[in-house]
Amino acid sequence: MKGNISVNTENIFPIIKKSLYSNQEVFLRELVSNAVDASQKIRALANMGQFSKELGELFIDVKIDHDAKTLTIMDRGLGMTADEINKYINQVAFSGATEFMETYKDKLKEETMIGAFGLGFYSAFMVASKVTIDSLSYQDEAQPAFWSCDGSTEFEISEGTRTERGTTITLHISEDAEEYLQESRINEILQKYCLFLPVPIHFGTETRKEGEGDEAVEITEPVIINQTKPIWSQKPSELTDEDYLNFYEVLFPFHEKPLFWIHLNVDFPFNLTGVLYFPKFKADFDPNKNKIRLFSNQVFITDSVEEIVPDFMRLLHGVIDSPDIPLNVSRSFLQTDGNVKKITAHITKKISDKLAELFKNDRAGFEEKWADLDLFVKYGMLTEEKFSEKAKDFFLVKDQDGKLYDWTAYENLISANQTDKDGNKIVLYFANRDQQTAAIEQAIARSYSILELGHAIDPHWIGNLEQKLEKVRFKRIDSEPIDKIIGKDEVIPSLIGEEEAKTVKEKVEKLLEEDKSLVVKTEACGLDVHPITITMNEFMRRMHDMEALGGKSMFGNMPMMHDVVINTAHPLIKKIMEMPEENQNESWKYLVDVAKLSQGMLRGKELNQFIQHALNKI
Ligand code: ADP
Ligand code: MG
């Protein structure tokens, strides 16, 4: 047997009304969108020569009547006859917008429709106990029609009162939704969703004086709340830098000027326009800030774009408009929607192309902006494989003198002096110039180049880069004694014997007994390495840093382990060994303190004791 599933309207209707939208306020977006569609349709019909009477000024009027407790949305669009109300309104989920687009798809120019599902109108019942439609169609000899419904499945149609073409939707606001009778609330919703709709929206009036003295007359005019031609809907070739900057100001008042921007404009394989600005990325960027607004045919949809825009892109500011991202949809739908993936891929490409172009055509400008781009590019490389592939050609690194290099140039620079015995290029870096001064100076003395990589993102970024680059290792400047850091084959003779070395080690260990995070070692290093140096294994430190940024914990709450390296090739070690036994300890302590001091690890009581000790020497 075959059959049709039947839906009982009385049961399903309340579900449609209540749960179609998670957000009640969008009812106004839906009704104004319908008014925009109606206006666009009559404009389109006029353009196609199918409507030859006076078009007049097209606008939408939103009004509150406090006495009647109503909110009305009035348009001068194409209107509806009683038959059409029956067809479009009484048949839930039949979209007139879709039908219109289908009918005229070859003839439409720039008019696009917002509606798609034929459900938006019913969102009015989320806030209204009764809704009426008063409409006069543009068609010759059309009669005004009136429709009224209290939210049940029953409706009434009778003769309407409109004398001018268009539609008036009146919402009798329910008692539990009285906020929608407040000017400020309605204004807020209009500002949020309707700011860039293509038809002027009037809400409230403004009075101004014209003329001087006795001649002066007061003129009252409606306030237009929207900008009908936002820049993303215009051609890039017709826009100046100032237009872009002004628009940024409209979107994000009181923000610092953006660095530059990309104008998105694609028709294929989907329709998408938008403008994304690169802000100056501050050291403490917050990728959770919602600074990208998503529109569909100039109607605001959301500014929480997590599922639609990849993480790193959310550092950008601006707007994306795609009619392919439908209005009334749930987040999970968006995630699985193939269009969204394509959109993401497209924007990623646009961004990397823009950066590559700047890098190529304006290297000086690119370098100037690098400080502000650095984080964005690194974040992008970490989170988007496609972006990373492109970015490896244009990311820059900065050496101890502030000089910038692209990666190819930098690898060349260090290849002669900083290749270890296994053929790995060792990239040295520091995170904190003040704390790592001693090691930096030692490296400079050996003509090594050192990069500044001090941001919390850097440990992640270099880990990621090491996986992509061949035979390149990053080592922080204090991860090993300077003459061991490049890992050459040379052997440095120790000045003391093995037995003596063991004795020194034990003495220093005894001294540091209390501190379980210090591991004492002996090693014959060059003369430029202090008698005692404190280092921290690169791998351990990186793990630690990544944990600090919220990565996974590999060591639980283990303290940061440091190596205390005794340089057995240093004459001072030998000298202390030759001192009378009872004087030695003070010197060992002194050397350990100096080592701690140069690592910024000497603090509090210990530091104070050291200072006293130093003063007593004078
Ligand atoms: P959609 O906009 O997705 O088509 P709606 O439920 O919002 O669905 O509206 C259903 C239909 O009712 C519209 O497609 C349109 O044909 C008609 N309609 C709604 N509002 C108006 C209006 N203000 N003027 C003319 N027609 C309207
Ligand atoms: Mg609609």
Side-chain angles (χ1 to χ4, degrees):
M1 186 184 121
K2 275 189 175 180
N4 283 318
I5 292 171
S6 67
V7 174
N8 186 332
T9 44
E10 252 140 79
N11 294 337
I12 205 89
F13 200 43
I15 298 174
I16 292 176
K17 282 188 314 199
K18 295 286 175 202
S19 44
L20 188 55
Y21 302 94
S22 48
N23 193 0
Q24 210 184 34
E25 66 187 22
V26 299
F27 81 91
L28 189 56
R29 176 192 78 185
E30 292 296 334
L31 297 179
V32 174
S33 298
N34 284 348
V36 168
D37 279 355
S39 309
Q40 296 284 57
K41 284 177 193 166
I42 194 69
R43 189 181 281 157
L45 290 170
N47 285 343
M48 291 184 280
Q50 306 216 1
F51 173 67
S52 48
K53 279 188 241 159
E54 175 119 32
L55 192 59
E57 198 190 333
L58 293 177
F59 63 90
I60 295 158
D61 206 3
V62 178
K63 270 204 178 87
I64 296 171
D65 183 332
H66 292 282
D67 297 330
K69 301 206 166 163
T70 57
L71 178 69
T72 59
I73 296 97
M74 197 284 294
D75 67 63
R76 305 201 62 255
L78 87 175
M80 286 179 280
T81 62
D83 282 350
E84 283 166 337
I85 292 179
N86 234 326
K87 182 172 170 190
Y88 299 130
I89 301 291
N90 295 338
Q91 283 186 46
V92 173
F94 180 84
S95 171
T98 308
E99 187 200 50
F100 189 88
M101 292 289 274
E102 290 286 313
T103 313
Y104 296 109
K105 63 173 175 278
D106 303 326
K107 295 189 188 130
L108 289 175
K109 284 184 214 138
E110 62 218 10
E111 302 87 356
T112 48
M113 300 299 133
I114 300 164
F117 293 118
L119 292 170
F121 175 79
Y122 281 92
S123 61
F125 288 104
M126 293 195 293
V127 301
S129 52
K130 179 174 147 190
V131 178
T132 66
I133 303 175
D134 199 356
S135 193
L136 176 60
S137 163
Y138 75 102
Q139 294 159 55
D140 291 335
E141 332 247 310
Q143 294 301 311
F146 185 82
W147 175 94
S148 160
C149 176
D150 63 3
S152 68
T153 47
E154 271 173 37
F155 63 88
E156 254 176 61
I157 286 199
S158 57
E159 205 173 304
T161 58
R162 267 194 83 122
T163 51
E164 279 191 348
R165 183 198 75 224
T167 303
T168 307
I169 310 281
T170 304
L171 275 60
H172 295 260
I173 299 294
S174 21
E175 260 171 34
D176 59 1
E178 281 190 350
E179 63 187 282
Y180 302 109
L181 291 171
Q182 286 167 16
E183 266 82 7
S184 58
R185 181 74 177 108
I186 295 300
N187 194 47
E188 178 189 32
I189 304 172
L190 290 174
Q191 293 286 339
K192 181 167 170 188
Y193 295 98
C194 307
L195 198 54
F196 301 112
L197 282 178
V199 178
I201 299 163
H202 296 176
F203 182 60
T205 53
E206 209 171 38
T207 305
R208 61 182 169 86
K209 266 206 178 115
E210 202 154 273
E212 294 285 311
D214 291 347
E215 310 270 282
V217 275
E218 282 197 344
I219 298 181
T220 300
E221 281 176 340
V223 177
I224 297 176
I225 60 109
N226 56 332
Q227 290 192 7
T228 54
K229 268 192 161 287
I231 61 166
W232 78 80
S233 68
Q234 300 175 44
K235 287 201 184 76
S237 58
E238 287 160 12
L239 294 160
T240 64
D241 285 0
E242 215 187 325
D243 293 329
Y244 285 103
L245 291 171
N246 288 341
F247 186 67
Y248 187 76
E249 184 64 43
V250 172
L251 291 175
F252 309 107
F254 310 115
H255 275 58
E256 242 187 290
K257 261 197 211 162
L259 292 173
F260 46 82
W261 47 86
I262 49 177
H263 195 131
L264 307 164
N265 203 340
V266 257
D267 312 313
F268 187 81
F270 48 82
N271 211 291
L272 179 134
T273 50
V275 177
L276 291 177
Y277 294 87
F278 285 69
K280 291 189 171 163
F281 298 103
K282 294 282 168 285
D284 55 345
F285 74 84
D286 173 6
N288 298 318
K289 266 192 191 134
N290 294 329
K291 290 281 170 53
I292 294 184
R293 301 191 193 162
L294 183 68
F295 290 77
S296 178
N297 283 320
Q298 295 175 222
V299 190
F300 172 78
I301 301 189
T302 180
D303 60 4
S304 57
V305 294
E306 301 81 47
E307 285 91 352
I308 305 145
V309 175
D311 236 15
F312 89 103
M313 256 180 236
R314 287 166 54 217
L315 298 172
L316 301 181
H317 298 174
V319 294
I320 295 175
D321 188 326
S322 177
D324 294 321
I325 299 176
L327 260 192
N328 13 16
V329 288
S330 67
R331 310 250 95 198
S332 54
F333 173 77
L334 281 179
Q335 271 172 309
T336 49
D337 186 5
N339 282 327
V340 172
K341 279 198 206 91
K342 286 184 214 151
I343 289 170
T344 305
H346 174 77
I347 302 175
T348 306
K349 185 172 173 333
K350 266 285 209 193
I351 294 173
S352 47
D353 285 353
K354 173 78 190 185
L355 290 168
E357 174 204 303
L358 267 176
F359 173 83
K360 198 165 147 250
N361 300 339
D362 178 17
R363 181 63 179 263
F366 189 80
E367 291 195 2
E368 209 174 286
K369 293 183 176 100
W370 180 252
D372 293 309
L373 285 174
D374 183 353
L375 272 183
F376 174 80
V377 171
K378 284 176 178 165
Y379 196 50
M381 289 176 78
L382 273 172
T383 51
E384 275 302 303
E385 200 43 49
K386 283 250 162 61
F387 180 80
S388 186
E389 269 164 39
K390 298 258 172 91
K392 71 182 187 327
D393 295 333
F394 59 68
F395 79 80
L396 301 180
V397 288
K398 187 168 86 177
D399 76 3
Q400 73 274 6
D401 300 323
K403 192 167 169 354
L404 294 166
Y405 303 83
D406 59 67
W407 190 250
T408 314
Y410 194 71
E411 262 201 72
N412 274 334
L413 178 85
I414 62 167
S415 97
N417 205 17
Q418 292 175 223
T419 302
D420 73 4
K421 59 179 179 351
D422 303 320
N424 290 315
K425 291 192 188 94
I426 307 299
V427 179
L428 301 176
Y429 69 98
F430 65 91
N432 184 322
R433 195 186 284 270
D434 288 338
Q435 266 178 33
Q436 290 142 28
T437 318
I440 294 172
E441 302 274 304
Q442 290 168 348
I444 292 172
R446 286 177 170 250
S447 305
Y448 294 157
S449 169
I450 319 138
L451 296 182
E452 181 173 351
L453 292 171
H455 192 271
I457 200 173
D458 286 325
H460 291 263
W461 181 69
I462 57 187
N464 185 275
L465 209 57
E466 277 173 345
Q467 289 169 19
K468 289 179 185 139
L469 300 169
E470 261 169 57
K471 299 225 139 208
V472 172
R473 295 280 168 276
F474 283 74
K475 284 188 183 177
R476 203 167 95 169
I477 197 72
D478 54 354
S479 62
E480 281 171 73
I482 196 68
D483 71 331
K484 297 287 178 287
I485 208 161
I486 307 287
K488 306 257 185 196
D489 259 336
E490 57 183 338
V491 182
I492 293 166
S494 176
L495 290 181
I496 55 176
E498 247 170 73
E499 273 309 304
E500 281 175 305
K502 226 176 123 192
T503 318
V504 184
K505 184 171 176 252
E506 278 164 13
K507 283 186 173 163
V508 176
E509 268 171 352
K510 185 115 193 38
L511 210 64
L512 298 173
E513 217 169 29
E514 310 252 292
D515 193 340
K516 298 277 177 280
S517 70
L518 299 175
V519 180
V520 182
K521 290 180 174 167
T522 55
E523 198 164 10
C525 306
L527 270 183
D528 54 349
V529 175
H530 293 167
I532 293 184
T533 313
I534 295 183
T535 61
M536 183 181 192
N537 176 277
E538 175 70 17
F539 174 75
M540 289 279 286
R541 212 212 53 259
R542 247 192 251 174
M543 286 302 146
H544 207 277
D545 288 352
M546 297 209 288
E547 258 182 65
L549 195 68
K552 257 185 273 160
S553 168
M554 286 184 79
F555 304 114
N557 281 332
M558 240 170 78
M560 265 219 271
M561 302 297 285
H562 284 92
D563 289 335
V564 177
V565 184
I566 304 167
N567 181 2
T568 57
H570 203 287
L572 265 185
I573 300 292
K574 195 172 158 61
K575 193 175 153 189
I576 299 174
M577 294 286 290
E578 286 159 1
M579 290 203 288
E581 184 72 30
E582 62 273 22
N583 293 349
Q584 280 191 22
N585 251 2
E586 192 191 345
S587 297
W588 295 130
K589 171 88 174 105
Y590 197 72
L591 286 187
V592 169
D593 282 352
V594 168
K596 280 190 177 174
L597 193 66
S598 78
Q599 272 287 353
M601 289 166 70
L602 198 66
R603 284 177 226 123
K605 218 172 177 171
E606 264 192 327
L607 179 60
N608 197 37
Q609 274 167 6
F610 181 84
I611 293 168
Q612 286 306 326
H613 187 96
L615 290 175
N616 291 339
K617 291 265 169 207
I618 303 169

